[in-house]
Amino acid sequence: SQKIEQNSEALNIQEGKTATLTCNYTNYSPAYLQWYRQDPGRGPVFLLLIRENEKEKRKERLKVTFDTTLKQSLFHITASQPADSATYLCALDMGPGAGNMLTFGGGTRLMVKP
Amino acid sequence: NAGVTQTPKFQVLKTGQSMTLQCAQDMNHEYMSWYRQDPGMGLRLIHYSVGAGITDQGEVPNGYNVSRSTTEDFPLRLLSAAPSQTSVYFCASRQGAGSNQPQHFGDGTRLSIL
């Protein structure tokens, strides 16, 4: 089965710096990879999706890369703000045998200090 | 739009009791799913449905039942609660079959089994 690894330790950075979060996966390479944000006491919220043939995707201050050779995705937040503090989850599809449902990593908690 | 609505938000049960976690979505999404989230474990798929009348098992289905009689509703039943089922439960929906579709999550039900 697909296994996803995200750094379980919190990432603490200073406001204005770039935050970089890592998502590594094993086994087969998915067609798509998604990133979600989760605030305490809330459900995950979709942020970005990247396809296997896309090396990079941007949305405002967010940038996602997808390296199918390394089986890794990097999630960057530039000019970080305290409001960016949250847990960030990456998710991959489980394949057609599981209805293309998503499997999630454990998330990385980001703390942006003013 | 309300999106995905889960009730109740909090519940405490005794071992052996039964209950139903409710989930409703107003986006006319075909796909719905239930996840549980435990510290350090990420979101794990319990059951999912690809349309009314169709359900299937995810990674951790034991101890849970589901049904999908309408497009809008996807309740999750615990027949005989066990302490190992203490968790936060999230319901999600998405437009269609492709894993390129973002998932929309409810805000969760926090369940404690004593």
Side-chain angles (χ1 to χ4, degrees):
Chain A
S1 62
Q2 186 69 282
K3 184 177 180 182
I4 304 173
E5 293 181 350
Q6 294 185 257
N7 193 343
S8 59
E9 294 184 10
L11 177 63
N12 294 292
I13 65 168
Q14 205 66 34
E15 182 177 8
K17 301 294 186 182
T18 296
T20 299
L21 286 67
T22 304
C23 174
N24 295 296
Y25 59 93
T26 59
N27 299 333
Y28 66 89
S29 288
Y32 304 95
L33 186 148
Q34 301 186 17
W35 282 89
Y36 288 76
R37 169 183 172 141
Q38 186 174 23
D39 292 288
R42 306 298 300 273
V45 175
F46 172 77
L47 294 175
L48 276 173
L49 175 148
I50 187 167
R51 295 174 171 78
E52 62 177 343
N53 59 355
E54 293 178 315
K55 296 295 184 185
E56 182 180 296
K57 192 81 167 281
R58 292 176 184 264
K59 179 182 177 182
E60 297 175 349
R61 293 185 297 111
L62 309 180
K63 184 180 83 172
V64 173
T65 63
F66 194 9
D67 189 325
T68 55
T69 301
L70 293 178
K71 296 191 174 183
Q72 181 181 80
S73 175
L74 298 178
F75 178 82
H76 306 271
I77 305 175
T78 58
S80 59
Q81 304 167 359
D84 295 326
S85 298
T87 296
Y88 292 86
L89 310 169
C90 69
L92 309 172
D93 75 88
M94 299 171 73
N100 289 321
M101 301 309 295
L102 294 179
T103 186
F104 286 80
T108 298
R109 186 180 176 201
L110 173 66
M111 299 287 291
V112 181
K113 299 181 179 179
Chain B
N1 283 342
V4 179
T5 302
Q6 292 185 239
T7 57
K9 293 188 185 301
F10 302 92
Q11 184 70 48
V12 179
L13 293 177
K14 294 181 180 179
T15 298
Q17 287 185 315
S18 63
M19 83 160 292
T20 299
L21 279 62
Q22 301 293 343
C23 175
Q25 53 93 7
D26 61 0
M27 297 171 283
N28 201 33
H29 285 173
E30 292 181 65
Y31 276 52
M32 296 186 73
S33 52
W34 277 101
Y35 291 83
R36 58 177 290 173
Q37 187 174 39
D38 302 291
M41 299 289 289
L43 288 157
R44 292 183 291 168
L45 182 66
I46 304 171
H47 285 285
Y48 66 97
S49 169
V50 301
I54 307 170
T55 63
D56 209 340
Q57 297 181 349
E59 300 174 81
V60 289
N62 293 340
Y64 307 94
N65 280 351
V66 291
S67 59
R68 183 95 180 272
S69 57
T70 67
T71 300
E72 293 78 20
D73 300 299
F74 190 42
L76 178 72
R77 297 183 186 85
L78 283 72
L79 298 179
S80 179
S84 62
Q85 294 178 306
T86 293
S87 187
V88 182
Y89 291 85
F90 289 99
C91 178
S93 72
R94 75 174 194 226
Q95 181 83 24
S99 57
N100 61 336
Q101 301 290 325
Q103 292 208 143
H104 300 260
F105 284 85
D107 280 335
T109 293
R110 285 142 189 84
L111 183 62
S112 293
I113 315 295
L114 304 178

